[in-house]
Amino acid sequence: MSDQKTPPKSGLPTKPSSGQQGPGYQPRQSSKWPPGAPRASTTAQPRQSVSGQARGSFRKSTRQSNRSQGGTETERLQVVVDGVDRTPKPLLSLNPTVLKGVQNDTTTPNSESSEFFMDRMSTTAFTKAGWYSNADSGTHTPKSEIDYDYETEKNRERKAAEEMAMAAGYGDDAGTGAGDLARGPPREEEPPPTPVLLSERDLERSVYLTLHETETIFIWQAAGVTVAMDTEEAKTVEEANRRYANLLHTKQATDKYVDAEAQTLVALTKSRDVQSAVLVTRSSAVQATAWDISDTFRALDEAAADAEDDPRGAAVSASMPSISQMAGGVTKYTGAPKQGGGDTSARVTVAGINRSSMFGGGGTSFMSLAAGAQPSGHMSGLSANLNLPNGVPVEAPAAAPPELADPLQALSGLPEALMLMDYAINQNNYLQQLLLYRDIQPLPGIRSSVTAAMRGGAASSGGGPGDDADSDVLSHTGGAPGRDTRPLSAAPSDGGRSHHSEMGRSGGGFQQQQPRMSNLPGQLSRQPSERSIPYSRGLSLRDGHGGGGDDRRSARHSHGGGGGFGAGGGGGYAASVAESNWPEELLQELADLGDDAPRMEHLWDWVCPMTAGKNVACMGWNKANPDLLAVGYGCYSFPSGNATTNNTTAQNQQQQAQQQAAGTEAGSSSAGGASGGGTSSASSGGTAAAAAAASDAIKGLVAFWSLKNLQHPLWSFEVKAAVTALDFSTYSPNVLAIGLYDGTVAIYDIKSRQGTPSMESDVHSGKHADPVWKVKWLDHGPERDEPLVSISTDGRVTQWSIAKGLEFSDLMKLKRMARRGAGGPPTTAAAAAAKEGGGAKAAAAVPEQQDAFISRLTSGMAFDFSSRDERIYVAATEDGWLHKCSTSYSEQYLESYRGHMGPVYQVQFSPFKRDMFISASGDWTIRMWQEGRDTPLLTFQASTTEVNDVQWCPTNSTVFGSVTASGRLEIWDFSLSTVKPVMHQKTTMKMSCLLFAPNYPVVVCGGEDGAVKAYRIFNVSHEYDTLQEQLERLDDCIRANVMKSQAAA
Amino acid sequence: MVDVAAVDETFKRLQSHKGVLGIIVINADGIAIRTTFDNDLTVQYAALVSHFTVKARSAVKKLDGDNDLKFLRIRSKKHEIMIAPEFEKSHEYYLVVVQDPSKET
């Protein structure tokens, strides 16, 4: 049914829109509103034309409009056809909301001039909103009005309520200037009167509103009709229904839809750009310390105090940040205004600030201050002051500020860095020496250029110019530039000038080697040239090869000739040996070698204040890192005391002296006891200070030197007694065994860097009763244990195992042998000789007059294990015997070797010929032995002092080195001479130990001044020879020399 | 905590080395906390060396991210500037030693 009833609705007349608007609008509608205005009530007008009922009222309204319009000049033409208003619609529909602002401008002040909406539209608003015509086409005016109607519906209702209130409120003020407005219809487009018109009174006035019920309006009414089917009406009704259904049916298809475009109004917004100056921010930072800030504010306070009589100062101080601001960690301070006339350049001396910070130590902080702050004139005038960027003068600290917590404490890596730096400086300082040590020969040209550059002025010492050599030298020394423009590599082309080169002119591309420390060149140069030596050969070689590079030149031969040297002659010859008295033959041979002559060059001393003055007692290379040298220090000489017989000799000699002195009445062990007792008596007898000094002197030290730092040990630790022996383990390179003067054997783990031993022998665990003179780890291969063997004056050769604690087993107790020969004191008794073990065959063979032993044990001084048989070792004793022993037999010697008249301080097997060993003794001699011969093969003696140490050269089978108590370091090459060392080095102090570097042609030695001296030896090593060649050379030498000595005998 | 006495002793030893012109310890802020140079030179070294070292470190670290700069030597015509930096945040510093290696023993 609803379908049937709705279509007529569209055609029904409606009452004027006032009915929708409520009664309050009715009068205004009729009196004021122009007919063509896009009023909501007019929306239905085109359709009203078909409705008959409402015509009257509409015309009436129109007439009213006409009448009211007639009064105005702008008469509007109205076309009324058949009672229907056919007035053309404006081509442009204007949305009142858009014009609202315009209307405000134009109409509000005088309502008379803007009586008609169309007027306003067509004049001001129309032209002002001219762009609007494009947006809206006139043909769609009704539609757009409808659109408008809907979209402003809500607005209208709201404003209607406002206007009602307004109309009621101003109803009484009809007489006022606004009366016309109040009486007239306040258009909804019009804003309410400006609040200026309202007074307090108005606001408090009561407003009465009367609400009436709207009369009921029937728009359409159709009562349902029910007709019986059998009546006549039924047919008509059915006919009517059918027609209606038809109509509906056709209507469906005849619905006319017009595809028309519609535009909705875009809400116009205007985005406006605002121009302003760019905000420029700058920040600058300075550093300030805590005291800096403190001083700053003290100065601030003073400035504030001064401000009384200086207004500008007051301004400055006012511009300063407050203390709380600053202390609160101000990061950006922008409040410092510029001083007008007093501006000077900000004296921001960064140097000054840093300087102050530097003194300040710890609490440095950062402050960021605005860059704009500048000091005022009178402030910056204090030029002596430090000016912070904020213009505050700070008194320069007169004295260093109180030291806060040292900032160095926080730098935890600093010691390591310093160590590193120490290495670097050392490497710089000792670059040449280190290169020499490493057997690296810089190219001559490079070297000369480097040294020339180092010396600065003579940088142009390239090849000699072709003119006079003297002026050349002058130019070098004078450093005249511009003359020597030749490249560095230019060689002197003049052959005749080679003489100048030989004479030691140091310029030129043929840079000569540094001056040799060896005395041999000096000796050679003193030799007259009558020897018809091709003297220039050596020099030309030197020029060509840079000297030390000729090491492997095997120009040396075994010289069978030259007999007449009393080799092995014992002490008789040595007394007459003077250094200047070189055998002519040796000199000739050396001269024949030319520059290949062995020579020695001092590299450096490993010494530091900590070790200076302490006697170097023993040394040992680390097996894994051959650049690491462990050195044991210990002073053997006592400052005073009745127990010591001679405080200038080494303690081992004291020991020996005591032994020999007591040899007639006391055994060695009791002599050791006497020594200990003597020490204690010296302590008790002397003053307390002397005792303290003695105990200090007794303390030992172990220092670890390396090539990294030649002036400071890598590490060192003190031990309770003088160190007398040490050795690194082979398979645990961090394990160091040391033997002490008090008989202790201790094991240190140097990796832990702790000055306490990880294991130590005590009286319950086999501690030696007397000084331990040698310790050595036995290399039995990586699979087997590495036992430690020690030897001591108490006569025991002890093997230590560190597998489970420090366990000991005595390999041998060295029994005293009967001494024979005229040189030795008659200390052996014939009866005692019978008691000796099987090893005493020599004693048994030659019965002599001998005293009875008091002690059966003799003192061991040194031992060495054979590389041929790991059980075989040779022990050197204090009474001059050498005993070959086996670890399998702890009771008897395998062989005994006689010959030494004094204590044997060192023994070592040859690294090449494994049944040969060499020994050094206090009887001034060095003797070479071979297993199976109980007399020495060769005897060497070059001086009249004890030989404290002897070592084979690891790279030449015929070379060994020795040190003497008179301070001579001697390198022997018995292929050249068995009488004199081929080179020697004289020092003033007593030397006690010697070592060849395992991998470089370097020998190190130590003495009582605490310095470990390193010497580079030239032209000695034959490291490129095969073992066979080495052995052949060795055998040849031995054979020749033995024949010689036998012939001499 | 570093034993300052030992450090000072090492300083003395370094200073006693042949050719050593001066030692500076610069902290992370570029402030010299120990120096043997005069002020101006110290400030110059502090400013220039720390920048240079950071650059050098970035070069090392860009080549290999796991790598780091440990030591730096600048061999100049007259001097050798050796820098041992430490970049650990908690104790960042630069140890600078200037040496004249041409000085003969």
Side-chain angles (χ1 to χ4, degrees), chain A residues 287 289 350-351 354-355 357-359 361 364-366 403 406-431 433 450-451 453-455 709 711-712, chain B residues 1-2 4 7-11 13-14 17-20 23 25 27 29-35 39-40 42-43 70-71 73 75 80 82-84 86 90-93 95-97 99 101-102 104-105:
Chain A
Q287 301 163 6
T289 58
V350 179
N354 270 333
R355 173 174 52 209
S357 306
M358 188 194 319
F359 288 130
T364 59
S365 64
F366 270 82
E403 194 83 357
D406 197 310
L408 288 180
Q409 288 180 348
L411 307 180
S412 60
L414 193 58
E416 288 76 16
L418 283 168
M419 204 173 64
L420 195 64
M421 199 60 80
D422 212 356
Y423 298 165
I425 296 170
N426 258 286
Q427 281 177 9
N428 275 345
N429 284 346
Y430 290 93
L431 182 64
Q433 288 89 335
V450 166
T451 48
M454 292 297 179
R455 298 208 166 94
N709 194 343
Q711 296 180 327
H712 196 72
Chain B
M1 194 63 69
V2 173
V4 177
V7 166
D8 281 339
E9 191 185 335
T10 316
F11 271 131
R13 202 174 71 231
L14 288 184
H17 279 312
K18 167 178 67 96
V20 171
I23 308 163
V25 181
N27 71 3
D29 303 332
I31 297 169
I33 52 181
R34 277 285 195 287
T35 182
N39 296 326
D40 294 345
T42 299
V43 170
K70 300 301 286 180
F71 198 79
R73 284 180 179 222
R75 185 70 172 237
E80 174 150 338
M82 288 168 284
I83 305 157
E86 171 63 65
S90 58
H91 52 274
E92 185 180 345
Y93 65 87
L95 170 65
V96 182
V97 172
Q99 190 188 13
S102 65
E104 294 295 326
T105 12

Side-chain angles (χ1 to χ4, degrees), chain A residues 187-390:
Chain A
R187 285 172 287 274
E188 53 188 319
E189 293 86 6
E190 224 168 38
T194 49
V196 180
L197 299 176
L198 283 175
S199 64
E200 274 310 305
R201 199 163 50 87
D202 296 335
L203 289 178
E204 290 169 1
R205 179 175 301 170
S206 305
V207 178
Y208 299 100
L209 295 179
T210 310
L211 300 181
H212 301 278
E213 185 186 357
T214 313
E215 58 179 304
T216 309
I217 302 168
F218 292 96
I219 297 173
W220 188 73
Q221 196 171 14
V225 177
T226 307
V227 180
M229 291 292 288
D230 51 351
T231 61
E232 276 200 359
E233 287 106 348
K235 279 185 180 177
T236 59
V237 169
E238 274 185 344
E239 180 61 20
N241 280 346
R242 192 184 49 80
R243 270 190 286 115
Y244 187 71
N246 245 352
L247 177 69
L248 285 181
H249 186 257
T250 53
K251 189 77 175 173
Q252 265 183 340
T254 56
D255 268 349
K256 191 175 180 182
Y257 296 101
V258 178
D259 190 12
E261 62 182 12
Q263 282 188 334
T264 55
L265 289 175
V266 182
L268 294 171
T269 58
K270 184 177 179 186
S271 63
R272 53 176 66 177
D273 293 328
V274 180
Q275 280 188 338
S276 68
V278 180
L279 290 177
V280 180
T281 58
R282 278 182 298 171
S283 67
S284 64
V286 295
Q287 301 163 6
T289 58
W291 61 265
D292 240 356
I293 297 170
S294 167
D295 285 352
T296 301
F297 289 112
R298 192 175 307 133
L300 258 184
D301 293 342
E302 290 167 4
D306 291 344
E308 258 88 52
D309 43 0
D310 190 348
R312 191 193 279 164
V316 170
S317 63
S319 74
M320 293 307 155
S322 71
I323 290 182
S324 60
Q325 245 181 316
M326 300 283 280
V330 186
T331 55
K332 189 171 182 188
Y333 167 60
T334 56
K338 297 190 178 186
Q339 289 295 111
D343 276 357
T344 62
S345 64
R347 208 171 290 189
V348 185
T349 55
V350 179
I353 292 161
N354 270 333
R355 173 174 52 209
S356 56
S357 306
M358 188 194 319
F359 288 130
T364 59
S365 64
F366 270 82
M367 253 194 309
S368 180
L369 295 168
Q374 290 188 354
S376 73
H378 93 288
M379 286 300 186
S380 64
L382 303 169
S383 61
N385 292 343
L386 295 173
N387 283 329
L388 287 181
N390 59 359

